[in-house]
Amino acid sequence: MIIQNNVPGKAYNTFGLNSQLSKLIVLDDRKDLAYLRPYLQEHPSWILGGGSNILIEDNLNKPVVRVNLKGIQVIKDNEDHVLVSVMAGENWHELVLWSLGQDYGGLENLSLIPGRCGAAPMQNIGAYGIELKDVLHTVHAYHIEQGLELSFHNQECGLGYRTSNFKTKWKGQYLITEIVLRLTKIGHHVINTSYGAIEKELAHKGITEPTIKDVSNVVCEIRKRKLPDPEIIGNAGSFFKNPIIERKQLVALQEKNKEVPFYEVDSDNIKIPAAWLIDQCGWKGKVVGGTGTHKNQPLVLVNHGTATGSEIYALSEEIKVSVASRFGIELEREVNVWSKQ
Ligand code: EPU
């Protein structure tokens, strides 16, 4: 365990914001949780993975615990699948590359998602037709108040569209230490190309029977084309969730906007791409001081280099207001806002 005071925050969030962290605790040994517990009970802290889904609004006076636990291990090997234990501090995309190297399937559509594995269940990461929910077996998490490590099966985690019990009703109670994934073995892979862009890209390459590596390559290409690389331009991926509205609301929306794109969620509910709503309000590629929206994907707010957290937050408020007043739809932030309290 390493403890540092007054640390520049830039390296700890993919927005590249230089807010100061008053105390940074780097947890690299599970055993240290027992020593850390009394401190965490007294000082509620922010738990940090890769910093790819947070907006640090100000200099932080609450301690930050960076989870650096490492290790990837096959814990069960059956004829058709494996169970893989992954410690929370492992980088997500490196895990995907490792799984492809072993020819284990299930993570290929989730290629190139920034962040660390412990954060994956928090918002049930998802992309290109797959969510963590589809491959997650168990989450191991340390209950800070009780000082116990507990295990939760997939169904107990309350996983939904960019949400989980860890993010909602259990907020702040747990530190995720390890996840266990159920991955397929060769001959049992389930290739998912249902997301239009993947199908189109594979057809363009003349690939008719894609392998899991082909799917991963195509997903990486699409992401690189559409989404800004946080190493080059600070961002935290989609800033808002795609809103879910009732079918009758869609009918009203279509009266004024015939071309509104939508996806069916169930018989009563419809998902509208937030990118489209924001785009229609004229925000695409807009530069506002040091911040703005990305030129290819307006759902992604960016730091052009000099932005502060408060500036990005203010822009997100402005976007919310303009979408609400034009379409009557309330956008919900996907990114977690860390502010002084
Ligand atoms: N669109 C526009 N204008 C644009 C871009 C997109 O109108 O400039 C509309 C189009 O109708 C397009 C639709 O938005 O078809 C959807 O866009 P896209 O395929 O880029 O996906 P998204 O719904 O904006 C979601 C996830 C992404 C994930 C992609 C691919 C959320 C909040 N975001 O984005 O996740 O990579 O689908 O599956 O669900 C993230 O969570 O950080 C993230 C990047």
Side-chain angles (χ1 to χ4, degrees):
M1 189 160 57
I2 303 163
I3 302 175
Q4 287 172 284
N5 292 322
N6 302 323
V7 178
K10 200 175 168 90
Y12 297 95
N13 70 103
T14 59
F15 261 124
L17 296 167
N18 210 12
S19 318
Q20 178 131 307
L21 316 180
S22 64
K23 190 177 285 292
L24 176 69
I25 302 166
V26 180
L27 178 77
D28 43 22
D29 188 339
R30 210 175 194 152
K31 291 200 285 288
D32 285 340
L33 277 166
Y35 302 110
L36 197 55
R37 184 175 155 238
Y39 180 83
L40 295 183
Q41 282 176 304
E42 221 171 290
H43 304 88
S45 304
W46 299 106
I47 310 289
L48 177 68
S52 57
N53 207 38
I54 55 166
L55 175 69
I56 304 179
E57 221 194 338
D58 308 290
N59 291 337
L60 290 180
N61 50 5
K62 271 209 273 186
V64 172
V65 180
R66 161 82 140 182
V67 183
N68 238 2
L69 306 171
K70 301 283 184 189
I72 301 178
Q73 210 186 339
V74 174
I75 54 171
K76 198 168 178 185
D77 192 336
N78 284 347
E79 200 184 295
D80 56 348
H81 73 269
V82 284
L83 292 185
V84 181
S85 143
V86 187
M87 297 305 290
E90 289 289 342
N91 172 278
W92 178 265
H93 186 60
E94 278 166 25
L95 167 71
V96 175
L97 294 177
W98 175 87
S99 71
L100 294 171
Q102 310 291 317
D103 217 339
Y104 296 150
L107 304 183
E108 55 279 3
N109 295 51
L110 303 176
S111 296
L112 222 56
I113 295 183
R116 292 187 170 188
C117 296
M122 288 296 290
Q123 73 260 23
N124 181 28
I125 57 167
Y128 302 100
I130 295 284
E131 293 182 336
L132 182 77
K133 190 179 176 192
D134 303 318
V135 287
L136 183 75
H137 185 271
T138 316
V139 174
H140 297 281
Y142 186 78
H143 192 283
I144 296 166
E145 208 48 52
Q146 292 174 15
L148 282 176
E149 200 160 350
L150 302 173
S151 302
F152 299 94
H153 276 284
N154 180 318
Q155 291 86 346
E156 296 173 287
C157 297
L159 302 174
Y161 170 56
R162 296 295 193 277
T163 190
S164 72
N165 289 341
F166 297 102
K167 190 173 171 177
T168 55
K169 64 177 182 188
W170 302 337
K171 194 173 176 176
Q173 294 180 24
Y174 289 95
L175 182 150
I176 294 174
T177 51
E178 178 186 348
I179 59 175
V180 177
L181 304 177
R182 186 185 190 280
L183 304 179
T184 53
K185 284 174 79 169
I186 189 157
H188 301 274
H189 297 330
V190 183
I191 302 287
N192 182 329
T193 58
S194 61
Y195 202 91
I198 300 187
E199 225 166 34
K200 224 160 102 189
E201 194 81 17
L202 286 168
H204 180 71
K205 289 178 183 294
I207 300 172
T208 48
E209 283 184 31
T211 62
I212 53 174
K213 283 187 184 143
D214 291 329
V215 173
S216 170
N217 288 339
V218 161
V219 167
C220 289
E221 283 170 26
I222 301 170
R223 286 190 75 102
K224 281 183 188 156
R225 218 166 37 225
K226 276 199 183 169
L227 298 167
D229 178 352
E231 294 284 331
I232 299 166
I233 179 159
N235 74 89
S238 300
F239 198 90
F240 300 100
K241 291 187 192 183
N242 287 329
I244 294 170
I245 61 170
E246 287 178 20
R247 192 174 289 273
K248 57 177 189 284
Q249 231 182 317
L250 173 69
V251 176
L253 201 59
Q254 282 171 324
E255 277 168 20
K256 285 191 192 150
N257 309 274
K258 270 201 216 69
E259 72 302 357
V260 56
F262 63 90
Y263 315 98
E264 311 260 334
V265 175
D266 54 41
S267 54
D268 297 328
N269 297 297
I270 305 287
K271 202 187 260 183
I272 307 285
W276 184 84
L277 298 168
I278 298 169
D279 197 350
Q280 292 297 304
C281 291
W283 287 106
K284 186 167 176 169
K286 267 258 168 87
V287 178
V288 184
T291 180
T293 68
H294 186 57
K295 61 181 187 337
N296 299 334
Q297 177 37 301
L299 184 52
V300 178
L301 303 196
V302 296
N303 173 6
H304 287 296
T306 58
T308 60
S310 311
E311 215 179 342
I312 297 173
Y313 186 84
L315 173 64
S316 74
E317 275 299 305
E318 264 194 84
I319 291 175
K320 269 173 72 98
V321 168
S322 67
V323 167
S325 69
R326 169 138 181 214
F327 296 105
I329 294 178
E330 196 68 36
L331 289 181
E332 191 189 330
R333 287 183 189 83
E334 203 236 304
V335 165
N336 299 301
V337 179
W338 289 8
S339 44
K340 229 182 221 173
Q341 286 151 3

